[in-house]
């Protein structure tokens, strides 16, 4: 019973993270999100963490999620066109088919990351330099309410 409760809590947390990520990615431009992440992570500068580099890593990871999802859907459809309908198999066969789809995704993600690294290198991008922005972000009361509600939701699920 305790294992079921723990797994349910983890499921709820993952579900909430997925929903919040979806809302954030669809509500904001990537440049606004980048500036917001830098603003939130500013206190980490006190312990000499490169906030710009960390924010860039987060933005790149968030930016790759929709393309990886699209590629996974294409792979599943390609398997279905070959007669491998995943929904009709038992769990073990589903797992084997998922592994078949994961390997091309992994290779494609590595290839995409390599292309991005080459593009950043060609443009002489340096994440250690601080950047100036046109947007100025200030914490408002609504932001505090949203942040508190997220913390409360996560506290309840733990």
């Amino acid at each position: 019973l305790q294992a079921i409760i723990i797994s349910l809590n983890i499921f709820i947390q993952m579900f909430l993270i997925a929903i919040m990520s979806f809302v954030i990615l669809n509500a904001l431009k990537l440049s606004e999100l980048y500036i917001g992440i830098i603003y939130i992570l500013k206190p980490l500068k006190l312990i000499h963490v490169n906030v710009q580099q960390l924010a860039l890593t987060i933005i790149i990871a968030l930016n790759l999620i929709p393309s990886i999802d699209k590629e996974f859907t294409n792979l599943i459809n390609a398997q279905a066109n070959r007669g491998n309908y995943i929904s009709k198999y038992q769990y073990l066969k589903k797992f084997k088919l998922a592994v078949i789809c994961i390997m091309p995704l992994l290779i494609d993600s590595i290839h995409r990351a390599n292309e991005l690294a080459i593009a950043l290198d060609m443009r002489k991008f340096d994440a250690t330099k601080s950047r100036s922005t046109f947007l100025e972000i200030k914490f408002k009361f609504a932001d505090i309410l949203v942040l508190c509600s997220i913390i409360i939701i996560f506290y309840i699920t733990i």
Side-chain angles (χ1 to χ4, degrees):
L1 184 65
Q2 187 177 7
I4 293 173
I5 293 172
I6 291 172
S7 62
L8 187 63
N9 277 338
I10 292 172
F11 173 76
I12 291 171
Q13 287 176 352
M14 297 295 265
F15 183 72
L16 289 174
I17 289 172
I19 288 176
M20 286 185 278
S21 299
F22 179 76
V23 168
I24 288 172
L25 285 174
N26 288 323
L28 297 174
K29 297 177 193 171
L30 285 179
S31 58
E32 293 172 344
L33 189 58
Y34 176 73
I35 294 167
I37 290 172
I38 289 175
Y39 185 78
I40 288 173
L41 297 178
K42 255 185 191 172
L44 293 178
K45 283 186 178 181
L46 297 174
I47 57 173
H48 304 291
V49 172
N50 190 347
V51 175
Q52 282 84 12
Q53 193 171 10
L54 185 60
L56 181 68
T57 305
I58 293 170
I59 288 297
I60 290 171
L62 289 175
N63 198 17
L64 286 177
I65 289 172
S67 61
I68 290 173
D69 180 45
K70 183 179 176 185
E71 189 72 26
F72 184 72
T73 304
N74 289 341
L75 285 169
I76 294 293
N77 290 338
Q79 289 293 326
N81 288 337
R82 293 184 186 120
N84 291 331
Y85 296 98
I86 291 183
S87 61
K88 72 176 185 178
Y89 291 117
Q90 297 296 327
Y91 291 111
L92 187 61
K93 184 74 172 173
K94 283 182 184 181
F95 180 74
K96 288 179 183 177
L97 286 174
V99 169
I100 291 171
C101 292
I102 287 174
M103 289 309 292
L105 280 177
L106 183 63
I107 292 168
D108 188 48
S109 297
I110 292 170
H111 180 67
R112 210 174 279 155
N114 189 28
E115 287 178 350
L116 181 63
I118 291 170
L120 289 173
D121 194 34
M122 294 300 285
R123 294 179 185 175
K124 298 210 180 259
F125 180 79
D126 188 11
T128 59
K129 293 181 181 176
S130 62
R131 304 204 177 317
S132 61
T133 60
F134 288 115
L135 298 173
E136 186 175 329
I137 296 179
K138 294 186 179 181
F139 233 55
K140 298 177 183 166
F141 184 70
D143 299 326
I144 294 171
L145 287 177
V146 169
L147 189 61
C148 288
S149 65
I150 290 171
I151 290 170
I152 289 170
I153 288 171
F154 277 117
Y155 182 74
I156 289 172
T157 58
I158 293 175

